[in-house]
Amino acid sequence: MNIIQFTKGDVMFDIGGRIITLRQLHNISANKLSKELNIDPSTINKIEKGTAKPSIDLLFKICDYFNISLAEFFDSQASELPADLLQLIETAKKLTPEERKSLNNFLQTLLERTERQ
């Protein structure tokens, strides 16, 4: 399998893998994503398998669909996080600052209880 990777210095980035992660995070199939973007379903499949490279226009469409910037797409730290943690982050982004503070307090309390046991 040929994986299309973006390389910058010592950092390699798997574009197809990032799209898969985003799809899983948002619970969307490759077929649905291709329909939403109005592209041939095989295009997403080929990009994810690493047999095709996306155009910059397509990358922007993908980013717009998932409501992220191109910089966030290529954020190597975000792509290394597990899908459930990414989902938690995406959910937290939708909360008000006060709600995020309450959530953080809850999580801190939960951790303290776990550490005591």
Side-chain angles (χ1 to χ4, degrees):
M1 177 192 330
N2 297 329
I3 296 178
I4 305 297
Q5 296 178 327
F6 168 76
T7 305
K8 183 176 181 182
D10 294 334
V11 178
M12 295 181 76
F13 191 86
D14 177 8
I15 294 172
R18 179 69 165 133
I19 294 171
I20 291 170
T21 300
L22 287 167
R23 284 195 309 96
Q24 291 172 343
L25 175 64
H26 294 274
N27 197 27
I28 182 172
S29 69
N31 193 39
K32 182 175 180 182
L33 178 61
S34 62
K35 286 180 182 178
E36 295 287 331
L37 299 177
N38 199 28
I39 59 173
D40 187 282
S42 66
T43 301
I44 295 295
N45 192 329
K46 288 177 184 175
I47 293 168
E48 289 181 353
K49 287 184 177 181
T51 59
K53 294 179 183 179
S55 68
I56 192 70
D57 289 338
L58 180 54
L59 280 177
F60 275 115
K61 282 182 179 182
I62 291 168
C63 290
D64 284 345
Y65 181 81
F66 290 116
N67 198 28
I68 61 172
S69 68
L70 196 57
E72 289 171 308
F73 181 90
F74 284 106
D75 182 355
S76 60
Q77 288 181 332
S79 66
E80 293 172 3
L81 295 175
D84 61 334
L85 188 54
L86 286 171
Q87 188 172 27
L88 181 62
I89 293 167
E90 289 302 313
T91 302
K93 285 180 181 179
K94 297 173 186 172
L95 301 175
T96 66
E98 185 176 296
E99 290 169 332
R100 286 193 304 267
K101 184 176 180 179
S102 294
L103 176 61
N104 191 44
N105 289 339
F106 168 75
L107 292 173
Q108 291 297 326
T109 302
L110 186 62
L111 283 174
E112 288 170 8
R113 286 182 186 169
T114 303
E115 290 172 354
R116 281 189 238 140
Q117 294 178 358

